[in-house]
């Protein structure tokens, strides 16, 4: 079967819950293990708690390593500067959005729970070669769709209503990675879920991609570009160009769609090109 009736983490916690006072109370009012509201609520709690913990862990470690431990090795002088109150604002925006994004994401999980997704639990159902191919397909599929969703979010009515929240952080730090209006954030994450409704996908890979995507998003907001400035991989330098010039560099993982759509612009920034002149517009800032 493509469908995993309930992923292992959710199932374990849901079963454990029945051994607690809370679980017994839920059962006493008719909220058994497979009750729709209980399953949805538990997914929501897991996403809120897990998302917040992952955010603080990954963004916190990134910020500490880059801005405190090795700033002189990883950042140019200008890149070490962070505006007063910027980080609290990035964290506040991120935390404000997590509950709503989690509620919408839990809805995606419920579609799988109801049996309409294409997740599978045994990697041997399709084999390791298919798993590797499906991971590559996931990255290419989502990279394409996120580009066009992101591009659409720069249409003025959508930008003013949703996307301007994220662009209020012109010089982002790792804590700005998920500092989005929640509906904007969910829209850009929707391709991850859509892929699992269209193609068989291992349920643990689905969870792994949830973690990978958040870590990747943090990495392209951390001001340190380990990717080539004019290469295929979208590093933080490429994405910083998006925050600065707005109408360029919409890509998520690669620069492929920016190149195809004429929106690719090289950002002359990043530790490994400190001797390269930056755009005149950047110098003026």
């Amino acid at each position: 079967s493509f469908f995993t009736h309930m992923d292992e983490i959710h199932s374990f916690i849901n079963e454990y819950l029945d051994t607690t006072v809370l679980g017994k109370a839920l059962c006493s009012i008719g909220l058994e293990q497979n009750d729709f509201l209980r399953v949805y609520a538990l997914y929501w709690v897991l996403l809120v708690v897990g998302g917040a913990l992952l955010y603080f862990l990954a963004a916190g470690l990134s910020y500490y390593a880059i801005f405190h431990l090795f700033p002189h090795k990883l950042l140019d002088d200008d890149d070490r500067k962070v505006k007063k109150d910027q980080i609290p604002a990035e964290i506040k925006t991120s935390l404000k959005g997590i509950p709503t994004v989690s509620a919408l994401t839990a809805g995606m999980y419920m579609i799988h729970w109801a049996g309409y997704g294409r997740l599978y639990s045994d990697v041997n159902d399709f084999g390791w070669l298919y798993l590797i191919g499906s991971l590559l397909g996931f990255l290419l599929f989502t990279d394409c769709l996120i580009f066009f969703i992101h591009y659409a979010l720069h249409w003025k009515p959508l930008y003013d209503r949703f996307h301007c929240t994220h662009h209020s952080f012109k010089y982002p730090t790792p804590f700005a990675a998920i500092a989005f209006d929640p509906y904007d954030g969910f829209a850009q994450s929707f391709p991850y879920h859509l892929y699992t409704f269209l193609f068989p996908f291992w349920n643990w890979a689905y969870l792994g991609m949830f973690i990978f995507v958040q870590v990747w998003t943090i990495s392209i907001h951390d001001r340190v570009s380990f990717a080539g400035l004019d290469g295929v991989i979208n590093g933080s330098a490429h994405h910083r160009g998006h925050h600065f010039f707005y109408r360029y560099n919409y890509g998520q993982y690669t620069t492929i769609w920016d190149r195809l759509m004429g929106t690719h612009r090289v950002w002359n920034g990043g530790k490994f090109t400190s001797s390269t002149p930056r755009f005149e517009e950047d110098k003026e800032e």
Side-chain angles (χ1 to χ4, degrees):
S1 170
F2 295 139
F3 172 60
T4 302
H5 195 67
M6 192 178 296
D7 72 80
E8 282 86 344
I9 294 175
H10 185 283
S11 180
F12 173 80
I13 295 176
N14 205 11
E15 290 175 7
Y16 174 76
L17 195 58
D18 278 349
T19 67
T20 67
V21 173
L22 176 59
K24 291 179 172 59
L26 291 173
C27 290
S28 70
I29 59 174
L31 296 178
E32 304 287 344
Q33 275 191 29
N34 287 325
D35 180 85
F36 181 90
L37 289 177
R38 173 168 164 172
V39 171
Y40 176 82
L42 185 52
Y43 272 130
W44 180 78
V45 170
L46 287 173
L47 286 165
V48 169
V49 175
L53 288 175
L54 180 59
Y55 168 67
F56 280 114
L57 179 63
L61 287 174
S62 174
Y63 180 80
Y64 183 69
I66 293 169
F67 289 84
H68 289 279
L69 289 182
F70 309 111
H72 296 287
K73 293 182 179 180
L74 297 175
L75 299 173
D76 293 329
D77 290 341
D78 288 343
D79 289 336
R80 295 182 202 128
K81 300 174 183 177
V82 178
K83 292 182 179 180
K84 182 182 178 181
D85 298 327
Q86 177 180 334
I87 292 176
E90 291 174 341
I91 293 173
K92 181 180 179 180
T93 302
S94 300
L95 294 182
K96 185 178 178 181
I98 285 177
T100 301
V101 172
S102 296
L104 295 168
T105 303
M108 298 295 99
Y109 285 11
M110 291 305 294
I111 296 175
H112 286 292
W113 179 82
Y116 297 104
R118 305 197 72 182
L119 293 177
Y120 62 93
S121 58
D122 188 348
V123 71
N124 293 316
D125 285 352
F126 293 89
W128 288 97
L129 187 60
Y130 174 84
L131 174 60
I132 295 170
S134 70
L135 291 171
L136 179 61
F138 177 92
L139 294 174
L140 294 175
F141 178 89
T142 56
D143 190 49
C144 174
L145 266 64
I146 291 170
F147 171 88
F148 287 102
I149 292 170
H150 191 182
Y151 189 92
L153 284 162
H154 278 258
W155 179 46
K156 185 169 173 43
L158 293 179
Y159 181 88
D160 290 345
R161 171 60 182 86
F162 300 107
H163 198 52
C164 65
T165 299
H166 187 61
H167 275 278
S168 65
F169 306 108
K170 192 170 184 178
Y171 298 97
T173 76
F175 289 105
I178 60 169
F180 288 89
D181 174 277
Y183 298 102
D184 175 358
F186 178 74
Q188 295 195 60
S189 71
F190 180 71
Y192 308 136
H193 309 296
L194 180 60
Y195 187 84
T196 66
F197 298 133
L198 298 176
F199 307 101
F201 203 54
W202 189 36
N203 63 330
W204 281 103
Y206 190 30
L207 175 63
M209 284 295 120
F210 172 82
I211 298 171
F212 168 78
V213 165
Q214 193 164 86
V215 172
W216 180 270
T217 305
I218 288 168
S219 78
I220 63 174
H221 289 87
D222 64 12
R223 306 188 186 184
V224 179
S225 188
F226 290 99
L229 293 182
D230 198 18
V232 175
I233 302 301
N234 172 31
S236 73
H238 187 260
H239 190 68
R240 182 177 175 185
H242 174 71
H243 275 259
F244 196 87
F245 298 115
Y246 298 97
R247 288 308 214 170
Y248 297 88
N249 301 359
Y250 298 96
Q252 175 74 354
Y253 305 118
T254 75
T255 63
I256 293 172
W257 289 99
D258 278 307
R259 294 173 187 277
L260 291 174
M261 299 301 292
T263 56
H264 175 65
R265 183 169 184 175
V266 178
W267 171 260
N268 293 333
K271 165 61 184 173
F272 303 113
T273 57
S274 57
S275 61
T276 305
R278 296 184 175 186
F279 288 118
E280 291 302 315
E281 297 95 319
D282 188 35
K283 291 179 180 179
E284 292 171 5
E285 289 292 310

